[in-house]
Amino acid sequence: MDGRDAATDLELLRAHVAGDRDAFAALFHRHRDRLWAVALRTLGDREEAADALQDALLSAHRAAARFRGDSAVTTWLHRIVVNACLDRIRRRQAHPTVPLPDGNRTDGSGTGGVEPAAPVQDHDTALVVRAALAALPVEQRAALVLVDVQGYPVAEVARILGVAEGTVKSRCARGRARLAVLLGHLRPASTRPGRVDPDVPDVTAGNPRPAEGVGSGSVRIRQDANQEET
């Protein structure tokens, strides 16, 4: 087993700072899937997400020596990725559009890949959901992606976003309320068991404890990592 596999995130980051050329790559490879998922779901567009992730990793690579250890390395990495995504969203707000994945990108970029084909009805519904997410204010979208889609605890999301836990809860609540209105016409379909598309929120009355996705408030967004992030 490669010694880097047994190293902690902090040890890998310190090794990178000390001059180990492969340490940062090992660190990124360890957390690539979740970082990619955050970027993709925050931006809603595979190409923009790949660019944002690349920007974030370059920033992290250069700023590693300034990491003070006040938070976990993963928290630090996620914060940089989220900030890169939010910067892109704010830059394009002057010309708002609804970015939609093309579902067949095969440029060999190494991030993501071909999205699985879905029935036309499910695919159309997923596009409506992504458009609704894109319509949310950026702060609410980031909080919902991290809490409801990725399943991070509120306390961890607060550290990633650099805000109080109450602020995260408030942003999530407001975002869920907006989604409930925007996606109200999906309510009957949301009660069907065994749906194929992982991007469609369930509109629920309770706050169930999830297994992989996170249910909370009036809207629950479930993810299938194997379909979306790989």
Side-chain angles (χ1 to χ4, degrees), residues 27-96:
L27 178 63
F28 166 61
H29 186 269
R30 180 177 294 178
H31 300 291
R32 176 185 56 194
D33 290 346
R34 299 210 79 180
L35 295 174
W36 165 246
V38 168
L40 178 59
R41 292 180 181 272
T42 301
L43 288 165
D45 178 86
R46 298 182 73 84
E47 187 170 354
E48 284 228 43
D51 289 343
L53 185 57
Q54 181 176 348
D55 290 346
L57 291 174
L58 285 173
S59 296
H61 188 277
R62 294 166 179 166
R66 298 196 298 272
F67 178 71
R68 299 189 304 271
D70 296 336
S71 60
V73 173
T74 52
T75 300
W76 177 71
L77 288 173
H78 277 79
R79 184 184 302 131
I80 294 173
V81 170
V82 169
N83 286 339
C85 291
L86 297 185
D87 285 345
R88 283 183 171 268
I89 292 171
R90 293 183 180 112
R91 286 200 299 267
R92 73 188 184 194
Q93 277 183 334
H95 305 283

Side-chain angles (χ1 to χ4, degrees), residues 41-44 85-86 89 92-93 97 99 130-147 149 171 175:
R41 292 180 181 272
T42 301
L43 288 165
C85 291
L86 297 185
I89 292 171
R92 73 188 184 194
Q93 277 183 334
T97 59
R130 288 170 181 166
L133 278 171
L136 295 179
V138 292
E139 291 81 6
Q140 293 176 19
R141 190 194 315 181
L144 278 178
V145 165
L146 290 168
V147 174
V149 179
R171 289 177 181 178

Side-chain angles (χ1 to χ4, degrees), residues 9-10 12 20 35-36 41 83 87 93 117 120 123-124 129 133 138 147 158 175 179 182-184 210 214 222 227 229:
D9 291 344
L10 184 57
L12 287 174
D20 186 333
L35 295 174
W36 165 246
R41 292 180 181 272
N83 286 339
D87 285 345
Q93 277 183 334
V120 174
H123 181 66
D124 289 346
V129 173
L133 278 171
V138 292
V147 174
L179 285 181
L182 292 171
L183 303 175
V214 171
R222 296 189 305 174
Q227 287 190 349
E229 288 105 38

Side-chain angles (χ1 to χ4, degrees), residues 36 40-41 44-47 49 99-107 111-119 122-123 126-127 130 196-199 224-230:
W36 165 246
L40 178 59
R41 292 180 181 272
D45 178 86
R46 298 182 73 84
E47 187 170 354
L100 301 175
D102 56 22
N104 59 6
R105 190 173 178 218
T106 56
D107 60 2
T111 334
V114 178
E115 291 188 62
D122 288 336
H123 181 66
L127 297 185
R130 288 170 181 166
V196 174
D197 199 305
D199 289 320
D224 180 345
N226 291 329
Q227 287 190 349
E228 187 69 36
E229 288 105 38
T230 60

